[in-house]
Amino acid sequence: MELKAATTIRKPALEVYGFWRDLENLPTFMAHLEQVRTTGDRTSRWTADAPFGKDVGWDAEITEEQPGEKIAWRSTGNADVPNAGTVRFLPAPDGVSTEVHVVLVYDIPGGTIGKAVAKYFGEEPHQQLDDDLRRLKQVLETGEVVRSDGAPWGKRARKEFPQRPAQPLSDAELAKGTDA
Amino acid sequence: MRANTWAGRNKVEVRDVPDPRILNKRDAIVRITSTAICGSDLHLVDGYVPTMQDGDVMGHEFMGEVIEVGPGVDPGRLRVGDRVVVPFPIACGGCAACAAELYSCCENSNPNAGIAEKMFGHPVAGIFGYSHLTGGFAGGQAQYARVPFADVGPLKIESELSDEQVLFLSDILPTGYMGAEMCDIQPSDVVAVWGAGPVGQFAMDSARLLGAARVIAIDKEPYRLQMAERAGHTPVNFDEVDVRSRLLELTGGRGPDKCIDAVGMEATHGSAHIAAYDRIKQAVRSETERPHALRQAILSCRSGGVVSVVGVYGGLLDKFPAGAWMNRALTLRTGQCHVQRYMKPLLQRIERGEIDPTRIITHTLALDEAERGFEIFKNKQDNCEKVVLKP
């Protein structure tokens, strides 16, 4: 399965590239990622959240990088869901902004995990990636993921529906945390 | 705290809800001193704007005192104790739309951009108390409100002006002004304004301020037309006369040079059979609008004129007079108001006495009386033009 999405961010390409190249930043805006831990100059360990199931993780390596222009990576070893991705950073015609073009490729396996993954991706996969990029834009242009009263959990709001009523959070809701 | 909430179609309810808290670093919490009911709240109450939920706090026109600021708010811009008017579109100040001063199209302030994108093709800014389509932000018909990007939008009021003089800088005054500004008014222009509600009244005043030769008010409520007439505008009652004929009569057969639609999706028709068509289509949800005022404005406008739309539309309409629009070289200009762009210059006009926003206030009620406020405003009872609520 191949997913593509693009956004334009009002920041210079080197800054956007730099943020992405620090792979540990990816979970701040990608809804399904729990953690990315850098393990070497070009290698990293990725952990994904449910509904992939618990402890779904894989190692990845950067296969190509051109500062300010491009990063490509792929999973290595025995990944549960073999995947690869490329992100290109292009100067926008306004001379200020950067176009971010992302291509993700997943090799969806059989078995229980495969079914969970297929189901997950069955629910508007392009929407997921679009929303991830929208959050990337928010983080770079405003400093953080924007929260509203109806969708207070930031990137944890994996689906836009259903939402809670748009009224301030109760103590109990606040205790559940807005730290996602 | 107390807050006025959406409780289903044609129902609002003042309830106890939790106090707002800082959720983002650039939030502020405002203790509200005055808030208002807007005509576009009626579209929410009537059920024409999708994605409302039971319990949503309503209201997008409010002002008050800053009682808390998040750690990311620039202290040079906003501090605890400041008295502020809060603009209804939430704008981040950092995206391309904000850089172009198109604040109501802010690319970052709507966490539900994906929903808005499906409806509009591209997302729009978050708006306080205005459905989950525009972000799911709690509104300001309440004792307190959380204001995101508080260092971008809110306007500090440092003079002794009353709440009533500055409150409408949050929405309807800039909205009316933008309706007139989009007309690119020339000194010889006759400007016709459909709708003599609050936005229409301010569009008329603004058209005059921007140099129009004459301003015509179109409505069916005698008290609204009288209000416009007292302000120096020419009334046309569409219940009594054929609007197009009357406009031609008033303009020597040319038609108004500039037309402003300050009505939007719930237009009241005259007796045209197309009214029934629109009502049926809207009732079965195959058309979300009743675009009668817009059609009439396009058909009435002089060739080469401008039709400026600040009345709210939500979705799709049909029977759009594309032939008139194209063949007669009309310009159509629209937008939810980019309020942040107009607040300061309009505050200065208020300070200089060029605009008197208080002239439209007919009712001041306690917040707990919001249900009654909606009732009389919606049904145009008791000559109601504008309701201010006091928390």
Side-chain angles (χ1 to χ4, degrees), chain B residues 159-181:
Chain B
S159 50
E160 294 299 308
L161 295 169
S162 68
D163 276 18
E164 284 70 15
Q165 284 174 291
V166 294
L167 171 61
F168 303 140
L169 287 168
S170 60
D171 176 351
I172 52 172
L173 176 56
T175 297
Y177 185 86
M178 185 167 117
E181 191 196 58

Side-chain angles (χ1 to χ4, degrees), chain A residues 10 127 134 137-138 141-142 144-150 160-161 163-171 174 178, chain B residues 18 20-21 24-26 53-57 95 99 107-108 112-115 117-118 132 135-136 138 146:
Chain A
R10 202 174 147 76
Q127 182 78 61
R134 264 196 269 274
K137 182 176 161 73
Q138 286 173 2
E141 290 183 343
T142 81
E144 58 188 329
V145 172
V146 178
R147 300 168 203 277
S148 75
D149 308 271
E160 286 166 323
F161 282 110
Q163 299 203 347
R164 59 186 297 289
Q167 59 177 240
L169 299 174
S170 65
D171 288 335
L174 205 65
T178 55
Chain B
R21 251 72 72 91
N24 279 110
K25 291 198 285 275
R26 288 163 68 192
Q53 283 196 21
D54 187 7
D56 285 348
V57 178
C95 66
E107 296 162 9
N108 287 317
N112 300 333
I115 305 174
E117 198 170 57
K118 284 185 189 73
H132 291 252
R146 163 187 171 243

